């Protein structure tokens, strides 16, 4: 295991007020995104969409790395240039989603376990050769009246640590992503309690399996009420309770925490990150690894039309630049 390389990758991912673009939607998830704009979900359309983001002028000022799906890391641009080369030329580190998705967890109705450990060492070796330097694995924890169970929390924490150790052995810096969903009607206090239980279980497993904390990135949810909760917390409360939870649970040895957006609006995701970086002295870099909160405007502006590419690139860069300011705590648009 090359400790120095792993640490350098983790530090570079979160340095200079930059963050990650999560463009690792599976083919099925891309189908939903394409449906929403009336575009057919073909390999070429997926390529064209991602290519224009990777080629957006100035992307390297705000984006340190892109999380790719298996199809994309192997794809070539319309002019034949490998997409990975376009990223590398812009100073962006390619990363790869290596999990095989959340599947029903035996013995826990309605809950899931993320699969993909079988054959993972060989896939990590191949992705490294294809240019990837970091990886992602997402565990999904839902809050309902019955969930999460301790069974779901502990099996997912165990799998996350197994994945992280395999990646480190193969030279990929693991993004450890335990996502507590914001889909339910739970309040923010419940989200905080569940998130703390999940993070404690995850860091317990990372310790037990000797994952090197200096060579990983944590990708958590923010502490936030469920979308169907009648009482929504304000921006400052979300920022305060999220920082409180992270300080309680995440060792200072972890170089970076890079949030998922999880269904927040583009603006909310930026404002929350900004308030955390503006208001606190934090031991880790605190940044973004957004999917929807970086892409929503760009996707609808594009709508599958070549003549809209420049405007869609501008919409993407606007969000990337706003989130980069939020990493510095200088976005300053809190309501
Ligand atoms: P969202 O920011 O849309 O939640 O996506 C981030 C991600 O990579 C989820 O796994």
């Amino acid at each position: 295991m090359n400790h120095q390389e792993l640490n350098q990758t983790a530090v570079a991912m979160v340095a200079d007020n930059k963050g990650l673009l999560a463009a690792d939607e599976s083919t099925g998830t891309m189908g939903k995104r394409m449906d929403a704009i009336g575009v057919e979900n073909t390999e070429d359309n997926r390529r064209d969409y991602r290519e224009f983001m990777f080629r957006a002028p100035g992307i390297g000022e705000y984006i340190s790395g892109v999380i790719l799906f298996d199809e994309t890391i192997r794809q070539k641009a319309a002019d034949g240039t490998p997409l990975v080369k376009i990223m590398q030329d812009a100073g962006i580190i390619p990363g790869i989603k290596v999990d095989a998705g959340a599947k029903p967890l035996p013995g826990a109705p309605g809950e899931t376990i993320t699969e993909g450990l079988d054959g993972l060492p060989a896939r990590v070796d191949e992705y490294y050769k294809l240019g990837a330097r970091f990886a992602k694995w997402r565990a999904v924890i839902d809050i309902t009246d019955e969930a999460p169970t301790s069974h779901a929390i502990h099996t997912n924490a165990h799998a996350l640590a197994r994945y992280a150790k395999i990646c480190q052995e193969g030279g990929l810096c693991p993004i450890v992503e335990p996502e507590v969903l914001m889909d339910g009607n739970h309040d923010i206090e419940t989200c905080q309690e569940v998130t703390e239980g999940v993070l404690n279980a995850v860091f317990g497993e990372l310790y037990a399996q000797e994952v090197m904390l200096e060579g990983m990135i944590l990708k958590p949810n923010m502490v936030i009420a469920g979308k169907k909760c009648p009482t929504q917390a304000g921006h400052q409360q979300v920022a305060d309770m999220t920082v409180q939870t992270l300080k309680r649970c995440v060792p200072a040895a972890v170089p970076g925490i890079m949030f998922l957006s999880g269904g927040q609006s583009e603006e909310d995701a930026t404002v929350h990150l900004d308030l955390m970086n503006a208001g606190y002295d934090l031991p880790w870099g605190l940044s973004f690894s957004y999917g929807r909160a970086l892409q929503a405007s760009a996707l609808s502006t594009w709508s599958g039309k070549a003549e809209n590419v420049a405007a869609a690139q501008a919409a993407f860069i606007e969000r990337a630049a706003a989130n980069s300011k939020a990493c510095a705590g200088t976005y300053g648009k809190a309501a």
Side-chain angles (χ1 to χ4, degrees), residues 10-89:
V11 169
M13 288 162 74
V14 80
D16 302 328
N17 299 320
K18 294 183 195 179
L20 305 179
L21 165 64
D24 60 322
E25 299 87 354
S26 64
T27 304
T29 301
M30 273 314 287
K32 288 187 214 155
R33 305 276 188 272
M34 294 288 191
D35 266 2
I37 56 166
V39 174
E40 205 186 337
N41 186 24
T42 62
E43 191 173 332
D44 279 357
N45 285 339
R46 291 191 293 275
R47 191 269 320 275
D48 289 350
Y49 171 59
R50 285 164 170 156
E51 181 181 340
F52 85 64
M53 285 193 290
F54 305 162
R55 287 192 192 273
I59 181 177
E61 284 176 52
Y62 314 114
I63 300 293
S64 58
V66 178
I67 316 175
L68 301 167
F69 187 57
D70 180 79
E71 174 183 274
T72 322
I73 200 170
R74 303 169 193 281
Q75 254 172 343
K76 292 194 167 70
D79 68 2
T81 315
L83 293 181
V84 165
K85 179 156 191 318
I86 293 173
M87 276 177 244
Q88 289 165 334
D89 289 349

Side-chain angles (χ1 to χ4, degrees), residues 22-24 33 67 97 136 138 177 179 219 259-263 289-294:
D24 60 322
R33 305 276 188 272
I67 316 175
K97 186 229 300 283
K136 168 188 135 172
R138 171 174 174 257
E177 179 178 359
E179 175 172 5
K219 176 165 172 168
F259 291 105
L260 58 93
S261 60
S289 173
Y290 294 157
R292 286 163 285 180
L294 271 173

Side-chain angles (χ1 to χ4, degrees), residues 157-172:
H158 187 266
L160 272 168
R162 289 261 286 127
Y163 137 83
K165 188 69 181 176
I166 291 168
C167 285
Q168 289 190 336
E169 294 282 343
L172 299 186

